[in-house]
Amino acid sequence: MDNNNWRPIQGGEPMIDNTDWRTQLQHDSRQRIVNKIMGTLKTHLPFSGQDGLLELEKIAERFEEKIYSTATSQSDYLRKISLKMLTMENGSQNNNVPNPLPSNPTNSRTTDPGSVVMPPQVHNQGQ
């Protein structure tokens, strides 16, 4: 349960604020968020022509509506959208990073064992 909806009253007893957070969010605020989602989608998804742009807009609107209807508060709404946009940004950046491991690890041995970085599970086997 979200404790941000509790408000102390004169006697010190908490009272639930039954005002739905959605009533306080302006329509133009939601449209700005859809526009930001659109900007992210444009940079990360391929589209062509006006039809492709309209399809991206539908995706952005459906995504925003889904988060809007399931979020428990405005901060939850913004957090979920931000996390999804960050995931998309990071996902596309990872696709452009070359694989740091050599394709044939048996030929990449060095004479200095200290220069080889071992995964944590390998270091812990002897301990």
Side-chain angles (χ1 to χ4, degrees):
M1 183 167 225
D2 187 5
N3 289 335
N4 292 334
N5 292 333
W6 289 88
R7 308 234 171 152
I9 58 174
Q10 199 73 358
E13 293 292 319
M15 186 173 96
I16 297 178
D17 181 5
N18 289 327
T19 306
D20 188 359
W21 68 271
R22 289 168 190 84
T23 61
Q24 299 169 358
L25 189 64
Q26 301 290 328
H27 176 73
D28 62 325
S29 297
R30 289 185 66 190
Q31 188 57 51
R32 279 195 308 271
I33 290 172
V34 169
N35 292 341
K36 287 183 184 274
I37 295 168
M38 273 289 293
T40 302
L41 292 176
K42 283 182 194 176
T43 60
H44 299 291
L45 294 178
F47 71 95
S48 62
Q50 190 63 26
D51 289 340
L53 196 59
L54 288 173
E55 191 60 34
L56 285 184
E57 189 171 0
K58 287 181 197 174
I59 292 169
E61 288 172 350
R62 282 192 308 253
F63 170 71
E64 187 277 340
E65 180 61 37
K66 180 181 175 184
I67 299 298
Y68 180 78
S69 63
T70 61
T72 58
S73 65
Q74 186 173 353
S75 61
D76 185 44
Y77 166 75
L78 295 172
R79 181 185 59 81
K80 287 178 178 180
I81 290 176
S82 297
L83 283 174
K84 188 64 173 178
M85 295 300 103
L86 267 175
T87 301
M88 189 177 289
E89 292 282 340
N90 290 337
S92 69
Q93 289 174 0
N94 289 342
N95 290 338
N96 297 329
V97 176
N99 187 355
L101 297 175
S103 59
N104 188 357
T106 57
N107 291 338
S108 64
R109 293 189 179 160
T110 63
T111 56
D112 179 13
S115 67
V116 177
V117 177
M118 301 297 278
Q121 64 271 19
V122 174
H123 287 297
N124 293 335
Q125 285 178 349
Q127 294 175 348

